[in-house]
Amino acid sequence: MYGTSGTTVGRHADDFWLRVSRSSRTRAPRPTGQGPLGAEQLLPDSVPRPRIHRTVDWIDGEWFYQGDVFDLVGPAISPTPDLQHEPLLDDHWWGALRAALADLATASAARTTPRQQWIEENLPKYLGTPAPTSIEWITGHGDLQWANLTATP
């Protein structure tokens, strides 16, 4: 049974992955340029990622649903965001990751996270250092961690 907050489930078939997310109806429609669809629209082709083949959004009662069909990729380096074992990745893999992140940094972004106010409040609070007065903003991956990376560059 679903809880009251957002829920995401996924299943694979052949070379495809179906991902269905549910959130409050108040979150409809999808924000332009964000999430997997935003990545497909805004990122250069040189940034490796599962490609989206189809999207469907619908509202049912109080819920907003998003369905996406992706290429099936994987397996992930780790089943969790934290590494369980040494990943044994070669220099080519690390070079490909650096190149992908550099290409990602050139893409335009639909939103800024974290915001300047958050930086000004939290850097001094948690790091004991003043917030910078000037920040160079670049596009980055919103959830870059080991369960979102594959060993294949």
Side-chain angles (χ1 to χ4, degrees):
M1 187 71 181
Y2 291 115
T4 58
S5 63
T7 303
T8 301
V9 295
R11 296 289 182 266
H12 67 86
D14 298 324
D15 293 333
F16 299 100
W17 178 259
L18 171 64
R19 177 181 179 264
V20 178
S21 299
R22 183 198 72 171
S23 59
S24 167
R25 183 180 186 151
T26 61
R27 300 205 52 191
R30 284 184 206 223
T32 302
Q34 295 181 29
L37 187 55
E40 188 64 29
Q41 296 165 338
L42 299 174
L43 294 184
D45 287 339
S46 59
V47 177
R49 63 193 179 275
R51 303 312 292 253
I52 293 181
H53 295 277
R54 175 120 193 228
T55 64
V56 177
D57 296 347
W58 70 97
I59 294 174
D60 185 10
E62 64 186 273
W63 302 111
F64 171 52
Y65 294 88
Q66 300 173 357
D68 301 307
V69 177
F70 295 92
D71 288 331
L72 180 64
V73 297
I77 291 174
S78 173
T80 65
D82 300 318
L83 277 178
Q84 304 296 315
H85 305 285
E86 175 71 32
L88 303 175
L89 302 167
D90 62 21
D91 290 343
H92 179 263
W93 186 92
W94 287 105
L97 177 62
R98 280 190 294 279
L101 293 174
D103 288 350
L104 174 63
T106 68
S108 61
R111 69 178 185 177
T112 302
T113 311
R115 290 179 174 67
Q116 184 69 32
Q117 180 180 353
W118 184 93
I119 293 169
E120 290 170 1
E121 291 173 9
N122 289 288
L123 261 62
K125 181 178 180 179
Y126 294 107
L127 299 178
T129 183
T133 57
S134 175
I135 297 175
E136 176 186 356
W137 295 98
I138 62 169
T139 301
H141 190 293
D143 193 18
L144 185 61
Q145 40 95 350
W146 294 109
N148 284 340
L149 294 170
T150 65
T152 305

